[in-house]
Amino acid sequence: MRIAYFGPQGTFTEQAARALAPGEDLTPFETVRLALAAVRDGAADAACIPIENSVEGVVPATLDGLSDDAPLVAVAEAILPIQFSVLTRPGGGDLRTVASHPHALAQVREWLEANLPDATPVAASSTAAAAVAVVAGEFDAAVCAPVAIEHYPLAELATGIADVGEAQTRFLLVRRPGELPAPTGADRTSIVAAAENRTGTLAQLLSELANRAINLIRLDARPVRDSFGEYRFFIDFEGHVTEPRIVDALTGLRRRCHLRFLGSHPRADRLPATIEAGAGNQDFLDAQSWVDAVLKGTDA
């Protein structure tokens, strides 16, 4: 398989791509949108992209990239612990600038203030792009994924850095719509909902999940670019699209708004879905069987 990933080489996304697609052909792309475009136009079979970080939250470029253009669906996810290395050119020298992706800089802000107080943080398109810029002499240091040292002729000033020791990032493997992974009982379903901006809209959407005792995992909003004040809601919840209870919820949601299905796949943390009494798949099947019996005149 040909796997696109948010690059260049030496990023955490490369590490995630290795875990999600071991032994496959990996090709870096400069932005998340370009990696997704490679899948849409057939240049790649799948793409590995970051979706959320436990410290800095969601990755806006990923949410926007999945909601725009031709549909793509997530088929797998990985969660990586995030600790950084600080790389410099061999020989050292004064460190006046330190570059990285904004999410990375935010996660080592305290370390930089304590250890490189005279260095000015500079945003780069990715952690690896910062390493490339240090090699080129544009900046003095880069905050990178530890794997970057394998790709660039730089020296390691420090490693294992993170202001929050338990920081993690979740990554998705996405591809064009097709056969989905089988349900496991520990799955995540993701959708994006575009609803009218009126009183109670979000509450009504979430009630479709709450009324079926489906556990919400994540909720984010992103603006609709060409309509100021309008938003899309990105919703993750427990369960798999093949389950009767999830089908029932999606049917209710679709009646209320426009939906885009973003995938059903096993959760990386393997946490089983929360099933309350009376809200399991068999309960939904039994309820439908009762209605069928009523329609046939055979209900006891």
Side-chain angles (χ1 to χ4, degrees):
M1 291 181 62
R2 300 161 299 171
I3 308 298
Y5 70 91
F6 172 41
Q9 289 181 315
T11 60
F12 286 105
T13 313
E14 180 189 359
Q15 291 183 228
R18 291 181 182 181
L20 289 168
E24 304 294 356
D25 180 20
L26 305 183
T27 302
F29 286 81
E30 186 176 350
T31 66
V32 167
R33 190 169 290 275
L34 288 174
L36 295 176
V39 181
R40 289 185 169 113
D41 64 23
D45 299 299
C48 182
I49 50 175
I51 180 71
E52 63 174 329
N53 175 265
S54 60
V55 177
E56 289 299 299
V58 297
V59 180
T62 296
L63 296 189
D64 293 342
L66 291 174
S67 61
D68 297 333
D69 302 319
L72 296 173
V73 295
V75 295
E77 67 178 30
I79 297 176
L80 297 185
I82 302 299
Q83 293 188 325
F84 299 91
S85 295
V86 177
L87 306 183
T88 64
R89 287 184 296 278
D94 291 338
L95 301 182
R96 300 180 182 276
T97 55
V98 55
S100 194
H101 188 275
H103 275 204
L105 291 173
Q107 292 179 70
V108 298
R109 184 182 297 113
E110 295 176 9
W111 188 93
L112 291 176
E113 291 174 352
N115 295 275
L116 297 175
D118 298 326
T120 301
V122 182
S125 61
S126 70
T127 57
V132 172
V134 172
V135 173
E138 299 174 22
F139 304 115
D140 300 317
V143 177
C144 302
V147 71
I149 197 70
E150 300 177 15
H151 297 291
Y152 306 106
L154 296 172
E156 191 174 79
L157 177 68
T159 193
I161 296 168
D163 291 346
V164 179
E166 301 301 318
Q168 297 177 313
T169 296
R170 185 166 65 93
F171 299 84
L172 298 178
L173 188 69
V174 301
R175 68 185 186 201
R176 294 179 294 280
E179 185 178 356
L180 294 172
T184 66
D187 304 295
R188 177 194 302 267
T189 292
S190 303
I191 58 173
V192 55
E196 293 182 21
N197 183 12
R198 54 182 172 78
T199 302
T201 292
L202 181 57
Q204 290 173 356
L205 296 181
L206 297 182
S207 71
E208 297 291 350
L209 301 178
N211 290 341
R212 295 165 178 83
I214 295 172
N215 190 35
L216 181 72
I217 303 175
R218 185 175 63 88
L219 173 65
D220 293 287
R222 289 289 296 158
V224 177
R225 296 182 186 180
D226 57 357
S227 183
F228 184 75
E230 297 287 333
Y231 292 86
R232 297 187 183 102
F233 298 104
F234 293 80
I235 304 171
D236 286 9
F237 48 88
E238 293 179 349
H240 193 278
V241 70
T242 58
E243 296 180 59
R245 65 194 188 97
I246 303 302
V247 171
D248 198 63
L250 290 175
T251 301
L253 284 164
R254 183 61 183 84
R255 289 197 302 269
R256 294 187 181 275
C257 66
H258 176 75
L259 293 182
R260 172 173 282 199
F261 176 68
L262 298 181
S264 282
H265 56 80
R267 295 178 60 171
D269 55 21
R270 299 297 187 263
L271 290 176
T274 303
I275 306 295
E276 295 186 8
N281 289 311
Q282 190 58 50
D283 296 302
F284 281 86
L285 292 173
D286 291 344
Q288 184 61 54
S289 295
W290 177 82
V291 172
D292 293 340
V294 168
L295 294 174
K296 295 176 181 178
T298 59
D299 174 48

